[in-house]
């Protein structure tokens, strides 16, 4: 069940809260989320929360906004959460000075309220997973005497992880070496950072890919022999959804004899982007070759039904869908960029193509469609490697070890070690 907290009220008695017994019972870990649209960070964190050892750790999920996809997902997964009475995401730019001053005062009040919230719930560690949450909860964690784990899932160029995290967080975790490359380069933070790959279910019931493919073609009214190319990811610039459309246009021109359709699964994170993509589809003349499928969860059956998962994203730290496809034995063709290079060994467990080059991506896709033996070999290798490297148990073990390290620092009275 989800709870909505009453509005916070400042009280002098807050300063007299009894000191907690840091050795008593499981340590409470706070997981704050903005709420709204679900992304890979939410799914990864939920898998961690579900598998945490409850004799050691008690999760506390907090939403700033409880009416979006995130809340729906939590309810579907049977996870309890708390909804805060107000939303503060740290944005006050672009408003008149008077309103800006009021926003600043409100922000400071919210920071104090959040610190009181952490104290009242005896939170020992704040584990943030989104940009706005890193900023919103860094000071409250410090004021409340809680440790902060900054889980960076964004680009290596993000200012927050480079310039704020080294001073605000007790530990920085990245989803890939690429994600942490800049903060490690410009600061002395390397020894307080760790790469922990996102968790994936590696023991799921196998999906009949032929049946999944048949269901998709039936739903869309396509010939069962149609080859399906999947795009899985939120519709934002870094995912390059426009590049996917251009790529499909090149495939249609290079091989007009090949029955192939591109399916785009994902939520629109930018206002009007779906209309823009439809216009691009029309302009490229591929209305029959590209379909916008919207957000589907869980996505496994749709991904298993695709012949190839095309990862057009550029500069991504480490996309979940790439590994999900590997586990499902759906061959992957990815742009040679960012975290894709850590997951894909070209020609071994997937294929890499030149970044932002629809012709190169199209040629690579066609070569794989024309070589079922290579596709099967790549898919089998990818599945084996993904099970070994990206299991939920391994992720939970590594994050739990970091929690214990932070709690050990707490017992020794350490606030920062760098």
């Amino acid at each position: 069940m989800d709870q909505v907290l009453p509005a916070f009220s400042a009280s002098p008695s807050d300063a007299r809260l009894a000191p907690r017994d840091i050795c008593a019972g499981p340590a409470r870990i706070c997981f704050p989320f903005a709420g709204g649209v679900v992304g890979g960070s939410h799914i990864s964190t939920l898998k961690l929360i579900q598998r945490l050892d409850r004799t050691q750790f008690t999760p506390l999920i907090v939403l700033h906004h409880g009416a979006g996809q995130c809340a729906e997902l939590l309810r579907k997964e049977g996870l309890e959460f708390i909804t805060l009475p107000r939303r503060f995401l740290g944005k006050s730019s672009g408003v008149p000075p008077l309103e800006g001053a009021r926003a600043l005062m409100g922000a400071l009040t919210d920071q104090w309220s959040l610190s009181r919230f952490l104290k009242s719930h005896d939170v020992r560690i704040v584990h943030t997973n989104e940009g706005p949450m890193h900023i919103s909860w860094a000071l409250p964690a410090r004021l409340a005497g809680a440790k902060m784990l900054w889980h960076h899932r964004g680009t290596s160029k993000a200012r927050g992880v480079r310039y704020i995290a080294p001073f605000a967080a007790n530990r920085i975790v990245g989803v890939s070496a690429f994600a942490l490359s800049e903060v490690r380069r410009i600061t002395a933070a390397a020894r307080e950072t760790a790469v922990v790959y996102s968790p994936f279910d590696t023991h799921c019931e196998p999906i009949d890919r032929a049946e999944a493919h048949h269901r998709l073609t039936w739903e869309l009214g396509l010939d069962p022999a149609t080859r399906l190319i999947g795009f899985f990811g939120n519709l934002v610039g870094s995912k390059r959804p426009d590049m996917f459309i251009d790529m499909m246009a090149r495939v249609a021109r290079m091989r007009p004899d090949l029955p192939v359709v591109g399916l785009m699964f994902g939520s629109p994170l930018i206002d009007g982007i779906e209309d823009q993509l439809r216009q691009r589809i029309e302009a490229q003349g591929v209305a029959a070759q590209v379909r916008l499928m919207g957000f589907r969860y869980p996505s496994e059956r749709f991904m298993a039904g695709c012949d190839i998962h095309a990862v057009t994203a550029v500069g991504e730290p480490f996309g979940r869908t790439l590994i999900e496809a590997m586990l499902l034995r759906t061959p992957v063709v990815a742009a040679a960029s960012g975290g894709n290079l850590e997951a894909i060994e070209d020609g071994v467990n997937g294929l890499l193509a030149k970044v932002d080059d629809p012709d190169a991506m199209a040629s690579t896709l066609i070569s794989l469609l024309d070589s079922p033996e290579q596709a099967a070999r790549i898919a089998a290798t990818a599945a084996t490697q993904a099970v070994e490297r990206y299991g939920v148990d391994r992720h939970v073990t590594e994050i739990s070890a970091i929690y214990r390290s932070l709690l050990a620092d707490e017992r020794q009275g350490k606030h920062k070690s760098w």
Side-chain angles (χ1 to χ4, degrees):
M1 295 179 61
D2 51 298
Q3 308 171 44
V4 178
L5 289 183
F8 292 116
S9 59
S11 168
S13 64
D14 293 329
R16 299 194 297 271
L17 290 172
R20 60 183 173 229
D21 180 355
I22 61 176
C23 297
R28 182 166 284 113
I29 316 294
C30 180
F31 297 91
F33 291 102
V37 175
V38 170
S41 62
H42 302 87
I43 296 171
S44 294
T45 310
L46 294 193
K47 291 185 183 301
L48 167 67
I49 291 170
Q50 289 168 330
R51 299 286 282 275
L52 280 177
D53 181 351
R54 295 303 195 269
T55 67
Q56 297 185 55
F57 311 109
T58 300
L60 176 65
I61 305 173
V62 179
L63 299 188
H64 284 240
H65 175 55
Q69 287 181 4
C70 188
E72 294 174 5
L73 176 59
L74 289 169
R75 294 187 187 104
K76 185 174 182 179
E77 295 294 325
L79 291 169
E80 295 183 355
F81 63 91
I82 290 174
T83 300
L84 296 179
R86 289 187 292 177
R87 294 181 67 197
F88 169 60
L89 302 183
K91 293 185 179 180
S92 60
S93 60
V95 298
L98 180 59
E99 292 184 25
R102 289 174 179 167
L104 177 59
M105 289 302 297
L108 293 175
T109 301
D110 281 337
Q111 296 281 284
W112 174 247
S113 297
L114 291 179
S115 72
R116 290 185 52 243
F117 169 84
L118 294 173
K119 285 184 178 179
S120 67
H121 285 79
D122 193 28
V123 170
R124 308 273 290 283
I125 298 172
V126 178
H127 185 163
T128 55
N129 293 272
E130 303 172 300
M133 298 299 95
H134 300 320
I135 305 303
S136 296
W137 289 79
L139 180 58
R142 179 63 62 88
L143 292 173
K147 299 296 184 181
M148 183 182 183
L149 192 161
W150 180 305
H151 205 140
H152 183 56
R153 303 175 185 276
T155 172
S156 62
K157 300 290 186 180
R159 293 180 180 179
V161 74
R162 289 188 292 165
Y163 303 123
I164 300 177
F167 304 100
N170 298 92
R171 201 66 50 85
I172 305 171
V173 170
V175 293
S176 65
F178 171 76
L180 296 179
S181 58
E182 284 297 306
V183 68
R184 286 176 165 177
R185 182 181 66 83
I186 66 176
T187 72
R191 59 198 174 96
E192 293 297 332
T193 64
V195 174
V196 180
Y197 292 126
S198 297
F200 298 85
D201 291 325
T202 57
H203 304 294
C204 299
E205 289 293 323
I207 295 176
D208 186 326
R209 297 188 67 241
E211 180 187 359
H213 184 277
H214 177 76
R215 286 187 180 184
L216 263 176
T217 54
W218 180 84
E219 174 188 338
L220 298 169
L222 300 172
D223 186 302
T226 303
R227 315 299 290 277
L228 303 177
I229 311 300
F231 171 101
F232 293 84
N234 289 324
L235 304 181
V236 293
S238 63
K239 303 289 187 182
R240 298 294 200 271
D242 51 349
M243 230 290 289
F244 181 86
I245 294 169
D246 295 347
M247 174 199 72
M248 291 306 302
R250 301 302 197 279
V251 171
R253 293 169 194 166
M254 292 177 182
R255 288 290 301 276
D257 61 308
L258 188 64
V260 60
V261 172
L263 307 181
M264 303 184 70
F265 295 88
S267 297
L269 295 191
I270 302 173
D271 290 341
I273 192 169
E274 286 185 306
D275 289 336
Q276 295 174 22
L277 294 177
R278 289 190 182 95
Q279 292 171 11
R280 196 177 193 98
I281 289 169
E282 291 293 333
Q284 290 283 16
V286 288
Q289 285 82 23
V290 180
R291 309 287 180 89
L292 296 178
M293 304 295 290
F295 176 74
R296 308 282 185 103
Y297 182 85
S299 62
E300 286 82 2
R301 289 199 174 275
F302 302 101
M303 190 175 288
C306 291
D307 295 275
I308 293 176
H309 174 31
V311 183
T312 52
V314 172
E316 286 281 285
F318 205 78
R320 283 194 60 84
T321 63
L322 187 153
I323 308 302
E324 289 169 345
M326 293 169 69
L327 288 166
L328 292 166
R329 294 179 178 256
T330 297
V332 174
V333 173
S337 171
N340 297 346
L341 295 169
E342 291 181 48
I344 297 297
E345 183 179 355
D346 191 31
V348 177
N349 61 356
L351 294 180
L352 295 171
K354 187 177 179 181
V355 173
D356 283 339
D357 188 331
D359 290 301
M361 183 74 81
S363 297
T364 305
L365 281 171
I366 291 171
S367 70
L368 199 56
L369 290 173
D370 284 342
S371 180
E373 297 83 5
Q374 181 188 27
R377 175 177 53 79
I378 282 175
T381 301
T384 300
Q385 292 183 352
V387 168
E388 294 172 351
R389 298 174 182 175
Y390 309 116
V392 175
D393 290 343
R394 179 171 180 171
H395 177 88
V396 173
T397 296
E398 293 177 355
I399 293 294
S400 296
I402 293 172
Y403 289 161
R404 287 191 291 271
S405 174
L406 290 172
L407 294 172
D409 288 347
E410 181 185 32
R411 287 191 291 272
Q412 296 169 16
K414 295 180 181 179
H415 295 285
K416 295 288 286 186
S417 58
W418 41 319

